[in-house]
Structures are given as structure tokens and as C-alpha cells.
Amino acid sequence: MGGGNPFHHHQDLNALHDAWQRPETIIVNEPWWTATAKRADIVFPATTPYEREDIGRSNLDDYLFYMPQLISPVGEARDDYVIFAGLAERLGVGATFTEGRGADEWLRLLYDEYRQKTQQQGVDVPDFETLKDQNWVRLPIHKDGPNRTLFAPFREDPEASPLPTPSGKIEIFSEVIDSFGYDDCPGHPVWLPPSEWLGTATHRAPLHLVSPNRVTSFIASWKVLLRMRKVRGQKPL
């Protein structure tokens, strides 16, 4: 398991806790001592984005970023690729997994393939070393500026840009989901009382914790944080 901390964002932590007891062994790749890592049988310390080289790109804008390694891996942390390559070596399939390439060689190979595909679509992308020197490049992929609106192509032409749903449209009712016959998941939006809420208070658990997300929490966008009113001359974190 990697790339997430389900004990932070899962909807029903009690159900997750019960399910967590079933696997014989749970292995987690984590740079932090999260609630998920604490519950794992084995934790492989993984590097953060600051401790490895990478390429950054989002479909919501037209920028391509080179992400240099800023510091050496801390402690015993390893790149995810190095971790999996080591496991593959232990299992006797190291050469099959790595194909004789290190993480940096795979990064350059995948970038070259990406560059070839973009060129076939008429988009000029610099070679890896040029991108590395420039740090970032703005791709000429939007005629009228960057597309920052979700589902904008679908909104502009639903027939030419259908959504990945059975009908290609926004579905209020799903025949596929309805066909499953789940009591707790009908084919349309509906409110179902959760297992834990104010209406289910008992003598053993009479209290109900309501903890909404605060605008000062880390999940808030940085633009919102920058606009926030200072407290005693200091910006809150």
C-alpha cells in the first residue's frame, strides 16, 4: 500500500479497522508515521518528493515541471522504485522488474516516450536535459488559455467529449449500480443514516463528536491561506 493514508480520509473508520484485521500481513510504503503506518505489520520508509527526481504535470493546466531532488534520502528512506526493485530481487525476478534500469533511467525513458507521443500530436516538448535546465515549460496545448474548468470539453460538446459513464453523460440514476441490488447503495443519490451519528447515541456512547474542516487546516488551498486575516501580526498555519 502506498500513496495514501486511508485512516485519515476513509468514511467509516470502524469498518476499516475491522477489515484491517483480516489480511495476514499488511505492508505500507510511507515517509511519515501515520495512523496507517502504525497499524501496518511492515513499514518501508519511502522518500518524499523532495528526496527524489521526478516530472510534474496536471491535466488542469498547461505547465510541465522538472522536479529536482533537493535533499538526500533521510535516514533509511528509499525511493519507491528502489523498494520494489529490492523486493523483486529478493523474489528472484529483479532483472525482469527493472529491465536493467535504475529510477533515473526509467524517468528519462518514459519522458522520451511522452515527448514522442506529444510530437505526433503536433505539440513540441523540449528534451529532458532542456527541461531540466529550464525547470519548467508552458505547453502550447490551449488555444484560448489554459483549461482550468472541470468537464469543460464535455460542457462545450457532450457528443464529441463524452464522460466515462455508460451513457457518456452526467448520470443522476445509474442502471448499472441499481442492478447490483445493494441495500446501502441504490442507483440514485439518497440519504442513508450512518452507523454513527447523533441519532444512534447509546448509554455506552452518549456523546457525538462534530468536527468540521477548518479553513486553517492544511487541506485548504494556499491561496485561501494567503488571503486570511493575520492573527497578532502572524499568519496562521
Side-chain angles (χ1 to χ4, degrees), residues 33 35 73 78 107 149 172 198 205:
W33 192 235
R78 298 184 184 181
L107 182 63
T149 305
I172 304 301
L198 191 58

Side-chain angles (χ1 to χ4, degrees), residues 56-65 114 137-142 145-149:
R57 167 86 175 94
S58 168
N59 290 330
L60 297 179
D61 60 46
D62 48 3
Y63 288 91
L64 183 67
F65 293 93
Y114 164 77
V137 62
R138 188 169 186 177
L139 303 175
I141 57 178
H142 297 299
N147 172 22
R148 300 179 186 278
T149 305

Side-chain angles (χ1 to χ4, degrees), residues 111-112 115 119 124-133:
Y111 181 79
D112 288 342
R115 185 167 177 252
Q119 289 177 336
D124 186 27
V125 178
D127 59 51
F128 187 86
E129 292 303 324
T130 301
L131 176 65
K132 185 176 179 179
D133 291 338

Side-chain angles (χ1 to χ4, degrees), residues 162-195:
L163 299 177
T165 62
S167 65
K169 303 177 181 179
I170 296 175
E171 298 188 353
I172 304 301
F173 174 80
S174 172
E175 294 183 357
V176 175
I177 296 178
D178 186 64
S179 68
F180 296 155
Y182 295 150
D183 294 334
D184 60 348
C185 187
H188 61 284
V190 62
W191 184 84
L192 298 172
S195 58

